[in-house]
Amino acid sequence: MPDNEDILFSRDGGLATVTLNRPQALNAFTLDMYRRFDPMLRAWADDQGVKAVLIRGAGDRAFCAGGDVRAIYEAGRGISGDRLLTSVFFREEYELIRRIHRYPKPYVALIDGITMGGGAGVSVNGAFRVATERTMLAMPETGIGLFPDVGATRFLNLCPGRIGRYLGLTGARVGAADALYCGFATHFLPRERLDALVAAFARADGGEPRTELLAGFAADPGPAPLRARQPAIDRCFAGDTVEAILAALEREAAGGGADAEWAAETHAGLLTKSPTSLKITLRQLIRGRGFTIEDALALEYRLTQHVMAGHDFYEGVRAVLVDKDQRPRWDPPTLAAVDEALVEAYFAPLGEAELRFA
């Protein structure tokens, strides 16, 4: 297969490999990439010669920085592309993520480098996730008027304490040790050993459990900074309203303790996010405790369609990715203006347009 394709598929022994091959775009997914990936996953599931599936990113910077939100922005704005992309992209992305989560064979993601949004979707929802010293994982959607999706309703709620709320609301970045602590990664090994791991998977005949094979390569990434910070995170993110969280951060900052500077910076950072996105995200995570992957994705699809009909997503993408002025003009502009009725409207059923799984 030509190496100029955006997504590459290969076989070596019992290992089927997917390579996301858009390094200039940090390996972000296009709709076409999802459409080529899904039938390969289906075929490999039925192929007795395939013992495991591995996914990695091309280049030195990223595993996958997410989905092609600029293409969605341009379609939704009528600039270019099919306007239906605002519904079709999320539907097909989520269907693939559900297939990954329920995959009948070992599925291994090498989350080496930047891993955000849709990149987390095709990795964190799989069976095995291998982090390296270059892993940088984040769910930064509230900064572009969206919310943490791709199954994050489920996997953020599985983080220790209130860390999932903290990461989902702030978009804070985590490295390998924190990824392990949060459950986003299952193993850590130095980047220089990735190719040896891949070769070992290709040689394995299916008799050796993949957990044992991975354990043989795994190393210690060191202490997780979030573990040390968790007491402060749990104190500050315990409230069930964004306003309560901000007030708790103010108190923590005023207290002058070891976490005061973190609290002040976190408070200031939250005030730059879309007020609507913050309130949607907190409601989403509260409502989604204990959700299955199907429940999570169905809820998230519902939210995406209401967001696509709104203002802040387009304004966030404009400010961050199009004009790059970093000065989004959110509407409503303040948390006080985002009332209960507005938040609940984003959770309204879509009728026949709901995402349903067979």
Side-chain angles (χ1 to χ4, degrees):
M1 184 167 292
D3 62 7
N4 62 350
E5 297 282 355
D6 287 344
I7 186 167
L8 308 176
F9 306 101
S10 62
R11 285 277 298 274
D12 185 3
L15 181 66
T17 299
V18 183
T19 303
L20 307 179
N21 193 38
R22 297 182 73 213
Q24 76 286 354
L26 301 179
N27 298 322
F29 268 98
T30 64
L31 179 59
D32 181 66
M33 290 166 69
Y34 284 126
R35 286 179 167 175
R36 294 181 58 204
F37 189 3
D38 189 71
M40 294 302 293
L41 270 183
R42 291 172 181 260
W44 289 333
D46 295 332
D47 186 337
Q48 294 186 357
V50 173
K51 306 301 181 184
V53 174
L54 182 142
I55 183 169
R56 65 192 311 179
D60 295 328
R61 297 180 62 197
F63 165 65
C64 174
D68 191 352
V69 293
R70 182 158 183 165
I72 298 169
Y73 162 89
E74 291 178 351
R77 277 283 185 251
I79 298 169
S80 67
D82 186 346
R83 197 171 185 89
L84 290 176
L85 188 67
T86 57
S87 59
V88 172
F89 186 95
F90 293 104
R91 181 176 293 274
E92 296 191 25
E93 177 186 32
Y94 293 3
E95 288 171 344
L96 176 70
I97 287 169
R98 191 256 190 168
R99 189 176 314 287
I100 287 169
H101 186 71
R102 300 293 183 192
Y103 207 61
K105 297 179 179 181
Y107 177 96
V108 185
L110 305 185
I111 51 174
D112 177 44
I114 296 167
T115 303
M116 298 190 295
V122 299
S123 59
V124 177
N125 292 298
F128 302 106
R129 295 85 67 188
V130 180
T132 74
E133 70 275 13
R134 295 164 63 102
T135 296
M136 189 286 287
L137 192 147
M139 297 298 290
E141 288 80 6
T142 58
I144 59 166
L146 197 56
F147 59 92
D149 63 326
V150 298
T153 304
R154 184 191 69 89
F155 65 71
L156 287 179
N157 268 317
L158 296 177
C159 292
R162 302 297 188 184
I163 288 176
R165 286 190 183 186
Y166 164 64
L167 297 177
L169 290 168
T170 66
R173 301 175 176 188
V174 302
D178 282 335
L180 277 170
Y181 183 60
C182 291
F184 303 146
T186 57
H187 298 80
F188 167 82
L189 69 151
R191 187 174 193 262
E192 63 187 18
R193 299 202 68 201
L194 288 180
D195 287 342
L197 175 69
V198 173
F201 263 95
R203 290 193 305 270
D205 63 3
E208 182 181 8
R210 292 324 191 264
T211 51
E212 293 182 13
L213 192 156
L214 283 161
F217 280 85
D220 182 0
L226 282 178
R227 183 190 295 272
R229 180 136 285 153
Q230 187 178 338
I233 291 173
D234 288 353
R235 285 194 299 273
C236 293
F237 284 80
D240 283 348
T241 66
V242 177
E243 291 86 348
I245 289 169
L246 286 167
L249 286 165
E250 282 189 305
R251 290 193 298 272
E252 191 80 24
D259 295 297
E261 183 178 357
W262 164 83
E265 291 176 353
T266 301
H267 183 277
L270 284 172
L271 294 180
T272 70
K273 311 300 183 186
S274 158
T276 302
S277 290
L278 290 176
K279 290 203 171 183
I280 291 171
T281 297
L282 185 56
R283 181 69 54 87
Q284 162 202 0
L285 293 176
I286 291 171
R287 190 167 293 188
R289 291 180 187 132
F291 270 21
T292 64
I293 191 70
E294 290 82 8
D295 290 339
L297 293 170
L299 173 64
E300 291 163 10
Y301 184 77
R302 181 183 297 176
L303 291 170
T304 64
Q305 297 313 286
H306 292 300
V307 167
M308 291 301 107
H311 167 274
D312 277 8
F313 169 74
Y314 301 102
E315 175 59 14
V317 173
R318 180 207 63 76
V320 175
L321 298 176
V322 179
D323 297 336
K324 299 182 180 179
D325 59 21
Q326 310 301 322
R327 295 175 63 86
R329 295 180 288 274
W330 306 123
D331 184 21
T334 65
L335 286 165
V338 183
D339 61 22
E340 181 71 15
L342 179 58
V343 175
E344 275 303 308
Y346 281 86
F347 292 81
L350 301 173
E352 290 301 312
E354 295 274 19
L355 176 61
R356 296 180 175 88
F357 297 99

